[in-house]
């Protein structure tokens, strides 16, 4: 993505270089890998993710803060994602204006290792996620090394843009009341049926990411859409389960298959129409 001619967002909080001494982020062993895979591309509602974050961080207690100097590469990556975030603000302001509504901008928090949110305390192994309680997207940018090196997604800055746009998609759902409705319905359903709603929620966030991509297509490089689709392929529930356990259990899906994630991103990109993303009828 050609991002350099844009502007930085005023809503980015760069807390990288700050970490809590004595606290060990989950992610070095099998448990940590599975924990990250279960919520990779996050986007759970605050009610859904808070128990996960609490469980992942039991036993961590040291509060001493350590700091380090960011490398030139890290500074450049922070600048890039700030510009990308500004592109999401511009697009969604325009879309909401066309709907006669006002877009409330979220915050982007860049962190290292772990972070405290209104949805709970999280380690980097949770992966990128959105917390509706504070309307903030949380990302440890080193996640993208894992996405490429461990999970096989193609390398390129539009993989970052896709993840960011997906999380912004969950903010859109929060503003439109979708997250609250999903949570309310899930309380009355079996685990299997509740998972279906989670899948629909995640696929809709992929769709919104595609809608955004359509509106910034003049800034895209020739391979950017393929890079986004590669990222979607890597984090499909079926691909993750097969990689981790060698087996696939559709009843436990919470984010959608690789095929579904790619299809809904492409639908958003091809239509550019927010009204074409009713994934909830699709999964019934």
């Amino acid at each position: 993505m050609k991002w350099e001619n844009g502007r930085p967002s005023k809503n980015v909080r760069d807390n990288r270089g700050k970490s809590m001494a004595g606290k060990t982020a989950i992610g070095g062993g099998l448990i940590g890998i599975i924990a990250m895979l279960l919520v990779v591309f996050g986007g759970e509602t605050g009610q859904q993710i808070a128990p996960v974050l609490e469980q992942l961080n039991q036993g961590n207690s040291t509060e001493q803060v350590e700091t380090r100097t960011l490398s030139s590469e890290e500074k450049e990556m922070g600048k890039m994602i700030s510009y990308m975030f500004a592109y999401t603000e511009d697009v969604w302001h325009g879309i909401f204006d066309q709907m006669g509504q006002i877009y409330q901008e979220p915050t982007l928090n860049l962190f290292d290792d772990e972070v405290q949110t209104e949805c709970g305390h999280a380690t980097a192994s949770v992966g990128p996620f959105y917390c509706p309680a504070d309307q903030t997207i949380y990302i440890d940018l080193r996640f993208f090394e894992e996405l490429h090196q461990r999970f096989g997604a193609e390398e390129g800055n539009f993989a970052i843009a896709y993840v960011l746009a997906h999380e912004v998609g969950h903010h859109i759902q929060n503003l439109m009341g979708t997250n609250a409705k999903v949570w309310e319905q899930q309380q009355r359903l079996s685990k299997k049926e509740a998972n279906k709603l989670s899948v629909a929620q995640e696929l809709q966030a992929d769709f919104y990411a595609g809608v955004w991509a359509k509106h910034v297509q003049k800034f895209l490089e020739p391979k950017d859409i393929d890079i986004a689709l590669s990222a979607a392929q890597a984090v499909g529930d079926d691909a993750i389960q097969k990689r981790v356990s060698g087996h696939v259990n559709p009843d436990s899906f919470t984010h959608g298959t690789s095929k579904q994630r790619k299809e809904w991103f492409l639908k958003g990109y091809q239509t550019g129409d927010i009204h074409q993303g009713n994934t909830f009828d699709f999964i019934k």
Side-chain angles (χ1 to χ4, degrees):
M1 181 179 187
K2 296 174 286 188
W3 57 270
E4 296 87 346
N5 293 327
R7 63 171 179 85
S9 170
K10 67 180 184 298
N11 295 310
V12 178
R13 307 291 178 262
D14 195 342
N15 292 306
R16 294 174 300 163
K18 304 173 185 177
S19 61
M20 309 301 287
K23 289 191 176 182
T24 303
I26 299 174
L30 180 61
I31 294 177
I33 294 171
I34 293 174
M36 181 169 69
L37 294 180
L38 287 175
V39 290
V40 70
F41 269 89
E44 330 296 4
T45 64
Q47 297 97 325
Q48 290 171 314
I49 201 170
V52 176
L53 303 186
E54 181 179 355
Q55 181 179 3
L56 292 181
N57 291 282
Q58 287 177 349
N60 294 334
S61 59
T62 306
E63 298 295 338
Q64 181 181 353
V65 177
E66 291 183 344
T67 60
R68 65 176 178 83
T69 302
L70 297 180
S71 67
S72 58
E73 292 81 6
E74 287 175 313
K75 291 177 181 177
E76 182 70 6
M77 192 172 184
K79 179 181 178 181
M80 179 182 69
I81 200 168
S82 177
Y83 276 56
M84 289 176 173
F85 199 47
Y87 282 124
T88 71
E89 294 165 349
D90 294 342
V91 167
W92 287 109
H93 271 297
I95 293 174
F96 270 60
D97 184 63
Q98 291 176 359
M99 296 189 299
Q101 301 179 33
I102 297 176
Y103 179 61
Q104 300 172 31
E105 297 175 353
T107 299
L108 174 62
N109 187 318
L110 306 178
F111 70 97
D112 284 345
D113 300 326
E114 56 189 322
V115 65
Q116 185 64 40
T117 83
E118 291 298 320
C119 296
H121 180 258
T123 64
S125 49
V126 172
F129 66 95
Y130 171 72
C131 173
D134 53 24
Q135 297 193 12
T136 299
I137 295 162
Y138 293 90
I139 300 179
D140 184 327
L141 292 179
R142 292 171 296 184
F143 162 81
F144 297 102
E145 297 175 15
E146 296 284 318
L147 186 63
H148 169 60
Q149 296 176 5
R150 181 175 293 180
F151 306 124
E154 285 190 44
E155 197 170 15
N157 68 19
F158 205 68
I160 299 174
Y162 168 46
V163 173
L164 181 64
H166 174 98
E167 299 306 334
V168 172
H170 287 301
H171 178 64
I172 303 304
Q173 291 173 323
N174 190 41
L175 296 180
M176 299 184 74
T178 305
N179 288 343
K181 291 178 182 177
V182 168
W183 172 252
E184 181 181 357
Q185 292 178 40
Q186 285 177 324
Q187 306 317 298
R188 304 191 297 268
L189 298 173
S190 66
K191 183 65 174 178
K192 178 181 176 181
E193 294 302 314
N195 283 345
K196 287 184 179 180
L197 286 179
S198 293
V199 168
Q201 193 174 13
E202 294 298 326
L203 294 179
Q204 189 177 66
D206 280 331
F207 171 82
Y208 288 155
V211 169
W212 172 77
K214 176 70 171 181
H215 286 265
V216 296
Q217 61 181 331
K218 65 180 179 180
F219 303 115
L220 301 187
E221 303 282 3
K223 286 194 64 177
D224 280 346
I225 297 303
D226 288 339
I227 288 171
L229 293 175
S230 174
Q233 171 73 33
V235 296
D237 280 324
D238 52 341
I240 289 173
Q241 289 185 3
K242 189 171 183 179
R243 185 182 299 117
V244 172
S245 67
H247 303 286
V248 175
N249 178 14
D251 289 345
S252 66
F253 288 174
T254 58
H255 287 64
T257 65
S258 296
K259 182 175 183 289
Q260 289 171 331
R261 301 198 71 164
K262 291 190 294 184
E263 286 179 346
W264 280 100
F265 173 81
L266 276 178
K267 184 174 182 179
Y269 180 67
Q270 291 165 352
T271 66
D273 182 2
I274 190 174
H275 302 293
Q276 300 298 315
N278 187 354
T279 55
F280 294 90
D281 280 350
F282 169 78
I283 55 89
K284 288 181 179 179

